[in-house]
Amino acid sequence: QSALTQPASLSGSPGQSITISCTGTSSDVGGYNYVSWYQQHPGKAPKLMIYEVNNRPSGISNRFSGSKSGNTASLTISGLQAEDEADYYCSSYTSMSTWMFGGGTKLTVL
Amino acid sequence: QALLVQSGSELRKPGASVKVSCKASGYSFTYYGMNWMRQAPGQGLEWMGWINTNTGDPTYAQGFTGRFVFSLDKSVSTAYLQINSLTAEDTAVYYCAREGSGITAAARDWGQGTLVTVSS
């Protein structure tokens, strides 16, 4: 199984909105509404930002939102802030009853 | 408030074994499975598999069969990851993580990570 496909890097200015894509197949992203997104700052454990495509855990800012169309899921961060600079990973449940992560996207806030 | 606390960094020689612990508190241990993830230096996350904390049944992802063993000690709410016949390619941070209430196929709570370094 190959990792889900994410852009390696993205950048945006404070206040802007950015969208990170996560492309899989009908056996993972497209087949289940179990796509999640994680934020990871250097040297820290990942933090769940979105689960089941578009749900935010308690305590996560509504500036973070998720969506899915076909085999591609997306994470949108609106009103970009300096603290949003981090690595972001998508993950999906798969037809093999496993989880699969994307390769990660490094977000830079200019 | 769920909390997962992992054991400290380990340094091992090639061919040796290592056992990483993940102690859970703040919730009913057997109610949620425990997942294990690996992150090699400068690389992304990999899902290694999970263990059913109620039955003890492990499920290993492709690439993590044979040398990797998930186990439990329910009496102390602790999950373990053992890696045998270590090679330099096993050098990584290993995380335990559990789903949360009402959350499916996503890790709500994570341990702080355990760095395993394999070097002669």
Side-chain angles (χ1 to χ4, degrees):
Chain A
Q1 288 179 315
S2 300
L4 305 175
T5 301
Q6 297 181 233
S9 62
L10 277 177
S11 62
S13 299
Q16 285 186 328
S17 292
I18 64 96
T19 296
I20 302 172
S21 62
C22 171
T23 301
T25 69
S26 58
S27 295
D28 38 69
V29 174
Y32 305 91
N33 287 325
Y34 293 133
V35 176
S36 52
W37 290 90
Y38 302 88
Q39 176 192 67
Q40 187 179 34
H41 288 111
K44 301 295 187 182
K47 179 180 181 180
L48 180 64
M49 307 302 283
I50 296 287
Y51 67 96
E52 294 171 23
V53 177
N54 57 12
N55 293 284
R56 282 186 307 276
S58 58
I60 300 302
S61 170
N62 60 9
R63 297 187 300 106
F64 292 84
S65 61
S67 63
K68 190 184 84 167
S69 177
N71 295 337
T72 298
S74 299
L75 172 71
T76 297
I77 309 174
S78 59
L80 208 56
Q81 299 179 0
E83 67 209 49
D84 299 332
E85 183 163 298
D87 293 327
Y88 291 85
Y89 295 91
C90 63
S91 175
S92 176
Y93 183 75
T94 82
S95 59
M96 304 284 285
S97 300
T98 62
W99 295 9
M100 180 184 293
F101 283 97
T105 298
K106 182 176 181 60
L107 174 63
T108 301
V109 180
L110 303 169
Chain B
Q1 180 82 359
L3 187 63
L4 301 176
V5 178
Q6 298 184 225
S7 47
S9 298
E10 303 274 10
L11 173 62
R12 292 286 187 276
K13 294 187 184 307
S17 297
V18 69
K19 194 169 187 177
V20 175
S21 67
C22 171
K23 182 170 177 57
S25 61
Y27 71 98
S28 179
F29 180 67
T30 58
Y31 199 71
Y32 300 95
M34 192 67 75
N35 293 269
W36 288 95
M37 268 66 78
R38 180 174 78 178
Q39 188 169 37
Q43 302 300 309
L45 295 165
E46 294 178 275
W47 184 76
M48 300 174 66
W50 73 290
I51 184 166
N52 185 317
T53 51
N54 195 34
T55 65
D57 289 337
T59 298
Y60 300 99
Q62 233 176 22
F64 295 98
T65 56
R67 297 188 300 115
F68 300 85
V69 181
F70 304 150
S71 61
L72 304 170
D73 184 340
K74 289 191 272 189
S75 68
V76 288
S77 300
T78 300
Y80 300 94
L81 163 65
Q82 181 165 326
I83 312 172
N84 300 315
S85 303
L86 286 160
T87 72
E89 285 66 45
D90 295 318
T91 294
V93 175
Y94 293 84
Y95 293 101
C96 60
R98 67 141 201 166
E99 297 170 335
S101 176
I103 293 175
T104 301
R108 174 69 175 91
D109 299 295
W110 294 66
Q112 82 275 23
T114 296
L115 173 62
V116 174
T117 303
V118 183
S119 175
S120 55

